[in-house]
Amino acid sequence: MTETGTASTGTTSTGTTSAATDEQPAGTDWRGWQVSWDRQQEWYMPDREERFRVMLDMVEAAVGPEPRVLDLACGTGSITDRLLRRLPGATSTGVDLDPALLAIARGYFAGDERVSFVTADLKDPDWTALLPAASYDAVLTATALHWLRAEPLAALYGQLGGLVRDGGVFMNADHMTDDATPRINAIERAHRHAGMDRAKAAGAVDWADWWELAGRDPVLAGPTAERFRIYGEHAEGDTPSVDWHARKLRDAGFGEVRAVWSSPSDSLVLALK
């Protein structure tokens, strides 16, 4: 899953699909890279596993134990990993543009016929044509779509309205800021960053450190250089409120939308088709 720091929103438009059974280069510890990505993300979000737990609770409740899932802006496949451990009868298609994170995902899930991956840019209006299925029981994403500006995010939601089957769900766990509470926002951010500083002092690896390590890996060095060519160092997106997400998802054809989990900085919005 593409999360804090990256998303499948670059300017390069490409589309390739591959199963997780594709042969992967030898010599790289894919499980180790998957775990290190999780640890790096937890530096930003200590409650990361809790949002995943609630997300999968709601998937199972809404569409049952064997869903067809689209892991949107999947990154290394963090959602898919937890999905298949929780619901082994599920199948998942991961979509992303980041070549380095997709390399880790493909390596980590190699040999698992339940998993496939698509290389695509979510800003490309035709990206859905690259998917192996026309509809999904659940489309899931976490800490990735904040890299999009509001207008392309609303356009993406319109596309998702056509991908989720009737009775299916879309869930987005991400930074969702309420501009009406600036003092609360400020004290939350100060508290969160103080915790991050303590963790960094204790040896936590941050975003920049992690990518520096990836660039040294003989197999990941090329994909890492390519992902920085696509994205640059950082992308500035928007973090609209829960109410904004709910309005845009209703406009896209979802019948019911609300937050089903929240932290002081983030929310998990569930949209039921």
Side-chain angles (χ1 to χ4, degrees):
M1 168 182 48
T2 302
E3 296 184 79
T4 292
T6 185
S8 54
T9 59
T11 57
T12 298
S13 179
T14 183
T16 59
T17 304
S18 66
T21 54
D22 285 354
E23 184 178 349
Q24 297 296 320
T28 295
D29 178 7
W30 299 117
R31 180 173 294 276
W33 279 112
Q34 180 73 264
V35 170
S36 73
W37 176 260
D38 283 342
R39 298 295 84 79
Q40 180 254 126
Q41 289 290 295
E42 288 166 359
W43 181 68
Y44 295 94
M45 297 166 288
D47 52 19
R48 185 168 177 258
E49 292 300 328
E50 179 65 9
R51 71 190 70 195
F52 288 154
R53 181 191 67 78
V54 175
M55 178 180 283
L56 296 180
D57 281 349
M58 300 311 296
V59 168
E60 186 173 17
V63 296
E66 297 184 354
R68 175 192 290 166
V69 172
L70 182 65
D71 187 349
L72 193 68
C74 65
T76 65
S78 297
I79 288 177
T80 293
D81 185 33
R82 287 149 183 82
L83 169 75
L84 297 180
R85 282 192 266 133
R86 169 76 175 266
L87 303 174
T91 59
S92 179
T93 296
V95 179
D96 210 302
L97 184 61
D98 189 309
L101 299 185
L102 280 174
I104 295 170
R106 289 183 170 114
Y108 181 73
F109 291 101
D112 193 332
E113 296 182 352
R114 299 170 296 177
V115 184
S116 62
F117 294 99
V118 174
T119 301
D121 183 348
L122 298 183
K123 288 183 178 178
D124 182 343
D126 298 321
W127 73 270
T128 59
L130 304 170
L131 299 176
S135 67
Y136 291 85
D137 300 311
V139 177
L140 310 176
T141 189
T143 331
L145 299 188
H146 65 273
W147 274 55
L148 288 169
R149 292 292 187 185
E151 184 175 348
L153 179 54
L156 176 64
Y157 280 176
Q159 293 175 302
L160 296 181
L163 278 178
V164 177
R165 68 161 174 85
D166 288 347
V169 294
F170 166 69
M171 279 183 270
N172 179 13
D174 210 342
H175 313 316
M176 298 184 187
T177 303
D178 188 342
D179 292 335
T181 59
R183 290 186 298 161
I184 294 173
N185 298 345
I187 61 174
E188 180 282 321
R189 187 179 188 280
H191 178 76
R192 175 163 42 88
H193 278 263
M196 292 167 65
D197 290 344
R198 290 192 297 270
K200 190 72 161 59
V205 173
D206 66 10
W207 170 259
D209 293 340
W210 191 91
W211 281 109
E212 182 179 353
L213 292 170
R216 297 177 190 170
D217 184 280
V219 175
L220 288 177
T224 296
E226 175 65 9
R227 71 88 49 204
F228 279 101
R229 187 190 70 78
I230 294 170
Y231 296 105
E233 290 296 327
H234 202 274
E236 296 297 332
D238 292 328
T239 57
S241 68
V242 170
D243 287 344
W244 183 94
H245 287 273
R247 289 196 307 273
K248 297 304 179 181
L249 287 164
R250 290 191 187 99
D251 291 345
F254 291 91
E256 297 181 13
V257 188
R258 72 172 177 89
V260 293
W261 173 90
S262 64
S263 73
S265 61
D266 294 7
S267 292
L268 169 59
V269 168
L270 183 155
L272 181 66
K273 188 70 178 295

